[in-house]
Amino acid sequence: MRKIEFKIKDLRLGGDSPVLVQTMCNTNTLDVDASVAQCIRLIKAGAKMIRLTTQGLKEVESLKEIKNKLLSLGYDTPLVADVHFNSEVAIAAASVADKVRINPGNFAQVHKDAQNQFAKFIQECKKYGTAIRIGLNHGSLGERITTMYGNTPLAMKEAVCEWLSMCQELDFEKVAVSIKASNTVVMSQAYKLLYEQMIKNGIVYPMHLGVTEAGNSDTGRIKSAIGIGILLKDGIGSTIRVSLTEDPENEIPAGESIVRYFEDGTADNILSLISPQIPQRCVTLSYKDLYSCSSAHAFRSEQERWNDFIIRLSLAVGTLLLENKIDEYNLTDSPYSPAVLDTLKENILQAARRKFYHPEYIACPGCGRTQYNLEETFNKVKEKTAHLKGVKIAVMGCIVNGPGEMADADYGYVGQGGGKVTIYKGKEPVYKSVPEQDALDLLLRLIEENH
Ligand code: SF4
């Protein structure tokens, strides 16, 4: 078996290289100064790669300016162009970005001639030494694939494999892959299926791991830790992004907490501590066990310490819950109150999809396409709907990708620009182009009428 490893600037990606933490700007890419400033903040926070929304040729030009400004200021961090729908944009971005992410579900929708456009794109990537990511999301599977395999992890795997075969035919290996979903079961199954297929084929490409539309705060971190952790535990994954509906700077410490847990030996130690108990289907851990191998890490605040703790606990027990190896856990000697730990347990059990206590939120992290104050709106939606146990509610930043990406949400709040929002019931837009100030009430009314 051959593990593909390649360089993006000075970074090594794939093979046995360390797992890299990356993130994405949520600035408008046309706003060069704001994007440069955010990139610098993200680099200082520890981002090893930064992705920027690149929806058109104007954004490719801006990306060039952003890159040059960063270089002139001494910042050489690889920049990734995030391209959807338009293969001409991907082709243009290949000469500017260090890596281009394409979404196979919607690549070449302008030209319809996906294979030829892809060949042109790869030719440009070869010419400029640009890497690519085939970044498929559960919500954006093409019609042909879903007709053949349903809307399943298998369909996701098959879709990515088709594009990897095209890369092989074109003799191009600077390829990473991702196969994300917001549901941790779907996401982990899809990655595992793809990894098994790559092993069978004898070539393992670097995998970019992430739980998409994970939301924010504790639940976003817990979902991401469980989904990413279950794969890293099995040696799957070369780079990770913890997508949060928050300032992207917050994604970096969350990603670093996950990586540190595996690198400092805690993952192995916890497994050796609890494995013999697994048949009892309930594990008992002490708070200290979570930090048994951790060299003193300087947390800047109590919030950061808490975030690290919930990620460690999710990695230790949430992954076992997701794998259905245990049904319960007990945590002893923790500095937190029983009430706080009870809520945390509910969130971990729900993220592992074992028990449902709260609504299921699907919220995108936002990007250069975001049309409104996503984080603030998402928090308002959460506040007003917290009692709706089991209801799946999506809050998405744009009308271009939002409706497709909100997957199997029961209701959706999708920003469409110009202060307007569209409210969905399933895939059906029920209230179109409503003013933002009325949108939350209409969402609540729609849910009330149907539940
Ligand atoms: S759904 Fe959200 S993250 Fe995805 S493209 Fe739209 S605004 Fe960006």
Side-chain angles (χ1 to χ4, degrees), residues 364-367 369-370 396-398 401-402:
C364 79
C367 69
R369 292 185 196 265
T370 308
M396 307 299 282
C398 76
N401 274 348

Side-chain angles (χ1 to χ4, degrees), residues 129-191:
T130 310
I132 72 166
R133 167 159 65 101
I134 297 170
L136 184 111
N137 284 352
H138 185 211
S140 56
L141 279 170
E143 204 184 315
R144 184 180 55 82
I145 285 280
T146 45
T147 310
M148 283 160 73
Y149 302 101
N151 199 1
T152 59
L154 177 65
M156 295 164 76
K157 183 268 279 187
E158 290 294 332
V160 169
C161 285
E162 283 187 359
W163 291 76
L164 282 176
S165 304
M166 285 196 269
C167 290
Q168 280 159 11
E169 279 162 26
L170 295 163
D171 194 22
F172 183 75
E173 291 198 331
K174 251 182 141 172
V175 187
V177 288
S178 65
I179 190 161
K180 300 185 188 180
S182 70
N183 176 320
T184 47
V185 171
V186 174
M187 169 267 183
S188 56
Q189 282 179 355
Y191 273 102

Side-chain angles (χ1 to χ4, degrees), residues 24 53 82 84-85 101 137 212-213 241 363-372 374 395-403 405-406 414-415:
M24 181 166 181
T53 309
D82 190 67
H84 289 262
F85 301 106
R101 177 269 171 116
N137 284 352
T212 191
E213 287 100 31
R241 177 190 180 198
C364 79
C367 69
R369 292 185 196 265
T370 308
Q371 302 290 343
Y372 61 99
L374 183 62
V395 179
M396 307 299 282
C398 76
I399 199 89
V400 187
N401 274 348
E405 298 285 338
M406 64 193 187
V414 180

